């Protein structure tokens, strides 16, 4: 059912049937290390290049989600997937072997939310009984694509974030089964250009998009922050989070006590030297699978607004002096014991 | 309604309410020059870089589609859009000003079909009353991203295609209105890796994907080539077309008399020195708006299977010696006077 300008409330919600997540060593040493399905100590995942390493991680994560549920890839009707690399090569090579009808998505670090939005729209409509959504990032392939060669050992400003090596996969189903979490609604974000041009401060570039999507969500559903137990943004990091809280506060809306950011949860940022926090498509995807969903499944939280954010830039756009537009998609996750509005 | 493994037949088809297309000078000098809405003689579109030129072209095309229908951007619920550039920068900057909730898509040259699939799924489900789909490519931004600097004046093998400078936009609606063409069904493609590694022969890399999607479409709808008046692939060009026809023929299926390829229609390939044909997201999008839809609207054709194809590669993947997987999505377009199965 359409709600307001940019939101949907699903007559037929999607149930999160299975998840799988795999990450690198650094993420394994972070606060979520013990709840991530698999930690791969070899950053290359046995592959000859960083990009292929990311593809191997995707393939392994997708297969793990299938195996956990005794499914094979032909049981999945559609795959919604994306990554950070130009022309989505991690995804193209990571998922080609699955032979699932695929929609390739690019929403930068918001990709897992874009995939959840489209996947749950598909389930709501009865266009599929079961879909897979997937997003990944790899520290080394992202550094190579967006920043500096690893061997160069550049200094990073404290506003910079650390790209997460990780992949999260979810299988959504129209049948409740034993699922303890459902997607009840979504708010689709718009590209917002706040005039930020510093690629080492992506939190600042994305915070206005997060603010825009939260406001739109509140307006479309005629609710305020009290409706949610948690409001969890994607990877704004320390600086972006502060900007978002300031913006919300200026709107007379205090979300400090119920806001978390995936980029602040994935690492111990001080001890692990990750500066402003974690980022990358894998950041929100990993935190969703290993941290947010378990808290919904055990009833700690009843309703969460999950808001992965993306910074829409490429090396070409920022080398040519262009700004960094941001985008943020909102997904309403509910414990299946929760009440509907 | 789900059909077979990878197809949908829509209970609520999408009506093509409006289209707009803008192209460059070379496309203007081709066979479709007189039926493309606007030909822009300045390849830079007044912008300081090739990427920004492509963004200006997108913005102008989107606005033209709105203006033709006396709509403003707030009348559009969702935008499904993509381009060829890394991290979709032509789209991010081209559409940010529209402020329409956006799903960024990457399906290489198949992007317009991916957008039509998701847009029409959205309309069928009642998730939107009106959506915009858009895809673009620009010869100079694509050469810069994928091949050689223009000033280098490299020789091109005869298997190479010429990236179209063009953008096509369509507005889909759930209401028939005066629309003469509808999207009745879709078949979503899978990434297929045929083991081709030559980036100057993308037709060969994509032909197996086109073959796979056509076979799946026939199987899912329990039809054969006789069900369609035309089967129109995206941008296989001369070589890819021959491979597709050979593959189909080996299946006992002769589509020669009803097959066309957008890459063979957009240019006079011999006179315009475009070798194997046109390519790029803009190729199928332009040919759809300026050539295919008018033939459906005037009743020349009743039912067309539109099959844009994409080559899933980046400079990184092919410089690292990886293959080029292909993907192809099928869209069933019908004249609104046509009969349903």
């Amino acid at each position: 059912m359409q709600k307001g300008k940019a939101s949907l409330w699903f007559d037929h919600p999607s149930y999160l049937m299975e998840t799988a997540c795999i990450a690198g060593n650094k993420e394994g040493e972070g606060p979520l290390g013990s709840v991530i399905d698999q930690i791969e100590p070899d950053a290359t995942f046995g592959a000859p290049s960083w990009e292929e390493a990311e593809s191997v991680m995707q393939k392994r994560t997708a297969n793990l989600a299938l195996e956990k549920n005794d499914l094979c890839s032909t049981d999945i009707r559609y795959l919604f997937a994306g990554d950070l690399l130009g022309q989505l090569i991690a995804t193209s090579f990571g998922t080609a072997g699955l032979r699932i009808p695929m929609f390739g998505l690019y929403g930068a670090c918001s990709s897992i939310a874009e995939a959840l939005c489209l996947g749950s729209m598909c389930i709501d409509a009865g266009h599929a009984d079961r879909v897979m959504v997937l997003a990944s990032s790899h520290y080394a392939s992202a550094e190579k694509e967006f920043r500096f060669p690893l061997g160069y050992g550049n200094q990073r400003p404290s506003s910079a974030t650390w790209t997460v090596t990780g992949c999260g996969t979810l299988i959504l189903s129209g049948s409740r089964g034993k699922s303890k979490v459902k997607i009840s609604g979504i708010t689709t974000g718009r590209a917002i250009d706040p005039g930020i041009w510093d690629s080492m401060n992506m939190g600042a570039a994305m915070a206005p998009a997060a603010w825009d999507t939260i406001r739109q969500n509140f307006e479309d559903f005629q609710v305020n922050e009290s409706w949610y137990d948690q409001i969890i943004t994607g990877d704004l990091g320390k600086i972006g989070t502060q900007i978002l809280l300031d913006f919300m506060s200026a709107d007379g809306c205090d979300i400090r006590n119920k806001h978390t950011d995936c980029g602040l949860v994935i690492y111990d940022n001080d001890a692990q030297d990750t500066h402003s926090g974690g980022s990358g498509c894998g950041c929100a995807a990993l935190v969703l699978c290993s941290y947010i969903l378990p808290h919904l499944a055990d009833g700690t939280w009843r309703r969460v607004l999950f808001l992965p954010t993306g910074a829409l830039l490429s090396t070409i756009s920022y080398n040519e002096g262009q700004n960094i537009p941001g985008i943020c998609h909102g997904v309403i996750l509910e414990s299946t014991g929760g009440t509907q509005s």
Side-chain angles (χ1 to χ4, degrees), chain A:
Chain A
M1 189 197 310
Q2 295 179 30
K3 287 274 184 184
K5 280 187 189 163
S7 301
L8 297 173
W9 181 261
F10 295 126
D11 299 321
H12 306 284
S14 292
Y15 294 94
L16 301 177
M17 187 176 162
E18 193 56 81
T19 68
C21 53
I22 296 181
N25 237 356
K26 192 175 183 88
E27 293 69 29
E29 290 162 0
L32 301 182
S34 63
V35 283
I36 291 170
D37 289 329
Q38 287 180 15
I39 302 299
E40 171 57 57
D42 171 11
T44 72
F45 284 75
S49 73
W50 296 123
E51 294 77 20
E52 288 174 77
E54 190 173 343
S55 292
V56 170
M57 178 172 61
Q58 278 203 8
K59 197 175 301 182
R60 213 190 274 178
T61 313
N63 283 326
L64 179 61
L66 293 171
E67 284 161 19
K68 279 177 161 190
N69 238 290
D70 286 330
L71 293 172
C72 56
S73 64
T74 50
D75 295 318
I76 306 292
R77 194 167 175 89
Y78 296 118
L79 170 66
F80 296 88
D83 63 86
L84 288 180
L85 303 181
Q87 290 81 37
L88 300 188
I89 52 168
T91 301
S92 302
F93 293 97
T95 64
L98 294 171
R99 298 182 64 87
I100 303 173
M102 180 181 81
F103 294 104
L105 310 178
Y106 184 77
C109 308
S110 76
S111 296
I112 191 69
E114 184 179 348
L116 287 167
C117 286
L118 290 167
S120 55
M121 287 163 73
C122 191
I123 295 281
D124 178 55
H127 292 151
D129 304 313
R130 214 182 274 123
V131 303
M132 178 181 279
V133 303
L134 179 155
S136 74
S137 54
H138 190 297
Y139 175 73
S141 64
E143 286 290 305
K144 177 173 158 184
E145 173 117 2
F146 294 101
R147 290 169 175 164
F148 297 98
L150 291 182
Y152 177 62
N154 68 302
Q155 291 288 311
R156 304 155 56 84
S158 56
S159 59
T161 49
W162 188 279
T163 307
V164 165
T165 297
C167 177
T169 299
L170 300 96
I171 298 175
L172 311 184
S173 167
S175 307
R176 180 166 173 169
K178 294 177 181 169
S179 170
K180 293 178 175 169
V181 184
K182 65 184 174 185
I183 299 175
S184 302
I186 58 169
T187 300
T188 305
R190 308 178 282 190
I192 302 284
D193 182 357
I196 304 288
W197 50 264
D198 179 2
S199 70
M200 292 292 183
N201 188 2
M202 293 194 298
M206 299 185 291
W211 174 64
D212 186 70
T213 300
I214 296 172
R215 287 204 309 175
Q216 191 65 56
N217 177 274
F218 288 1
E219 184 186 312
D220 288 349
F221 289 101
Q222 294 285 301
V223 298
N224 60 27
E225 66 279 13
S226 66
W227 199 47
Y228 296 105
D229 294 326
Q230 287 280 303
I231 293 175
I232 305 180
T233 45
D235 48 3
L236 296 179
K238 287 182 194 171
I239 292 175
T241 292
Q242 194 51 56
I243 295 171
L244 173 67
L245 294 177
D246 288 350
F247 277 28
M248 294 301 297
S249 175
D251 278 350
C253 182
D254 183 359
I255 60 168
R256 273 173 302 178
N257 293 330
K258 53 177 66 183
H259 176 264
T260 316
D261 184 74
C262 297
L264 299 178
V265 170
I266 186 84
Y267 300 118
D268 180 336
N269 290 316
D270 295 326
Q272 291 190 281
D273 199 25
T274 44
H275 298 4
S276 190
S279 63
C281 304
C283 179
L286 272 188
V287 173
L288 174 66
C289 295
S290 65
Y291 177 75
I292 301 173
L293 296 180
H295 280 79
L296 281 156
D298 71 11
T300 309
W301 302 326
R302 301 294 291 276
R303 187 183 292 117
V304 169
L305 180 56
F306 177 55
L307 295 149
T309 49
L312 304 172
L313 80 165
S314 78
T315 46
I316 291 176
S317 71
Y318 73 69
N319 283 332
E320 287 178 349
Q322 292 213 64
N323 294 335
I324 305 173
I327 194 161
C328 170
H329 300 297
V331 180
I332 302 173
L333 298 164
E334 289 187 324
S335 169
T336 49
T339 52
Q340 294 194 6
S341 73

